[in-house]
């Protein structure tokens, strides 16, 4: 998904597979693949940062564009996995947060463009969730308190409930909803400062590298 040539190569096979094995019915595309990196930019290295953009942004746009004709022909929904990181600048995860801000805004705008086509989008904005994400981002186990993390099943259920309700954006969990509500009341520079304080104080010392 982070390599344009691979997407180009795989999509015809995927479309042929769907036409043969699942020729009818609405289509759900879930743009979930993504990763982050924790540290001072451009740690761990610039190549990693650029691959993140290739996956979180470029791959998502490319893949969606290539599947859109199928979605429009059969109707369906696109779930774009953004993050609560989309709502404020995220120091020490600067590229990641900005990539998710792109996903959130792009998803909402695309939904407007798709009105009347039978295709809609949902921007799913989870907060900390118990997956491999933080380890892969370079943080040690326990960097994010378990009490702040949601389980994957709860996040998925929140997404399905939002879909059923015809919503275009969902922040799962009341703690995440509250933090997004508060942070979006602040000016962007203040939100950036606050996020930097939180991310540095509680997490910087836990970096593995
Ligand atoms: N966990 C959180 O706290 C959290 C919070 C907000 C948003 N999110 C978002 O949720 C989504 C899923 O992440 P997760 O939490 O489930 O983390 P995860 O357990 O690390 O899973 C990441 C997923 O992305 C795929 N992936 C990673 N690098 C890839 C690459 N270069 N090319 C193709 N696929 C790649 C992985 O595939 P392989 O396993 O095959 O490598 C895996 O399916 C991401 O978009 C992430 O930004 C996560």
């Amino acid at each position: 998904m982070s390599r344009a040539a691979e997407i180009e190569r795989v999509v015809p096979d995927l479309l042929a597979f769907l036409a043969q094995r699942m020729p009818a019915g609405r289509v759900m595309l879930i743009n979930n693949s993504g990763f982050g990196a924790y540290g001072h930019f451009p740690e761990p290295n610039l190549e990693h940062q650029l691959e993140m953009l290739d996956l979180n942004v470029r791959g998502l746009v490319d893949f969606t564009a290539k599947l859109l004709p199928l979605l429009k022909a059969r109707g369906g929904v696109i779930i774009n996995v953004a993050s609560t990181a989309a709502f404020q600048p995220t120091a020490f995860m600067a590229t990641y947060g900005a990539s998710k801000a792109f996903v959130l805004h792009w998803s909402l705008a695309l939904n407007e463009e798709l009105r009347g086509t039978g295709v809609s989008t949902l921007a799913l904005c989870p907060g900390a969730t118990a997956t491999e994400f933080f380890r892969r981002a370079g943080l040690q186990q326990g960097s994010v308190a378990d009490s702040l993390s949601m389980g994957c099943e709860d996040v998925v259920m929140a997404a399905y409930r939002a879909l059923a309700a015809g919503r275009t954006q969902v922040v799962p969990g009341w703690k995440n909803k509250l933090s997004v509500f508060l942070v979006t009341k602040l000016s962007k520079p203040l939100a950036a400062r606050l996020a930097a304080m939180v991310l540095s104080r509680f997490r910087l010392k836990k970096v593995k590298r």
Side-chain angles (χ1 to χ4, degrees), residues 1-3 31-36 51 55-56 81-85 96 100 124-134 136 149 152:
M1 286 294 289
S2 61
R3 296 187 197 135
N31 287 316
N32 173 66
S33 299
F35 67 81
E51 186 186 347
L55 179 63
N56 297 9
V81 181
S83 168
T84 50
Y96 176 74
K100 292 300 179 177
L124 173 60
C125 305
T129 307
T131 67
E132 287 297 296
F133 177 83
F134 290 103
R136 282 180 163 174
S149 286
C152 296

Side-chain angles (χ1 to χ4, degrees), residues 31 54-66 102 106:
N31 287 316
D54 283 340
L55 179 63
N56 297 9
V57 176
R58 192 189 186 290
L60 178 142
V61 170
D62 191 4
F63 200 67
T64 303
K66 288 185 167 61
F102 174 92
W106 186 79

